[in-house]
Amino acid sequence: IVVEDNADANDGKIRIKGENVQYVYLDGSESASGVYETAKSLVIRLNGGSDTITIKALDLNYLAHISIEDNVDLPDTDEVIIEGNISLQGHNLSIAAEHITVKSGVTIDTRSLSAVSNTLSRESGDINFEGKVITLKNNVQLLAKGLALIHI
């Protein structure tokens, strides 16, 4: 499964691609088309089997929560690899998987900064990593300010 910016930069949408993935929309409808684009909050539930999710750089105007949920006590090995920068402008990032890796030089920013004054305009989102092996490579930045939680 790959989560990335879609082809239209700065439109606030991200793309999720994968094989054997079932998409369930907020209205209850389902799709297995292989590609899903959204500007709304994203929840990925890993339900058994060993899955790998790669998160590449996301659209700077994607303004929603991202949650990857996994039962880390199951006998499978799910892995989330963050390869690109993520800026969620006050929204939460929550990842649960047996293995979580943030690649070198990646910035994860949940601060909500004013475009005019570059000051905090509201509370930051939380950053939560839950797993058996969590690796932050060189020069990783986890940025939140105010009443935000960074939990690893």
Side-chain angles (χ1 to χ4, degrees):
I1 299 171
V2 175
V3 180
E4 62 188 355
D5 189 12
N6 66 357
D8 189 1
N10 299 317
D11 68 349
K13 292 184 179 180
I14 58 173
R15 174 183 299 143
I16 301 92
K17 300 186 299 187
E19 296 180 18
N20 301 317
V21 176
Q22 189 73 23
Y23 301 104
V24 180
Y25 304 101
L26 292 175
D27 66 4
S29 62
E30 297 182 10
S31 169
S33 67
V35 176
Y36 173 62
E37 289 189 11
T38 187
K40 299 184 179 187
S41 291
L42 172 66
V43 177
I44 298 175
R45 291 188 180 100
L46 305 174
N47 295 321
S50 294
D51 299 300
T52 298
I53 297 176
T54 302
I55 302 175
K56 298 186 177 190
L58 301 184
D59 193 303
L60 290 174
N61 292 319
Y62 177 72
L63 305 176
H65 303 292
I66 296 177
S67 179
I68 299 173
E69 302 172 355
D70 181 38
N71 183 343
V72 296
D73 294 323
L74 290 177
D76 61 356
T77 302
D78 296 307
E79 181 174 20
V80 176
I81 302 165
I82 302 174
E83 293 183 348
N85 296 337
I86 299 172
S87 178
L88 295 179
Q89 291 290 323
H91 294 88
N92 299 331
L93 174 66
S94 180
I95 299 176
E98 284 78 17
H99 296 271
I100 301 169
T101 301
V102 182
K103 295 287 189 163
S104 295
V106 167
T107 298
I108 299 172
D109 189 350
T110 61
R111 298 173 300 170
S112 182
L113 298 175
S114 166
V116 176
S117 65
N118 201 34
T119 59
L120 195 64
S121 60
R122 65 185 174 103
E123 295 300 327
S124 295
D126 295 338
I127 300 171
N128 185 37
F129 293 160
E130 176 187 354
K132 294 179 180 176
V133 178
I134 299 172
T135 305
L136 305 178
K137 299 284 186 169
N138 294 332
N139 301 316
V140 167
Q141 294 184 67
L142 304 179
L143 304 176
K145 187 174 183 178
L147 295 176
L149 169 71
I150 298 178
H151 180 256
I152 297 177

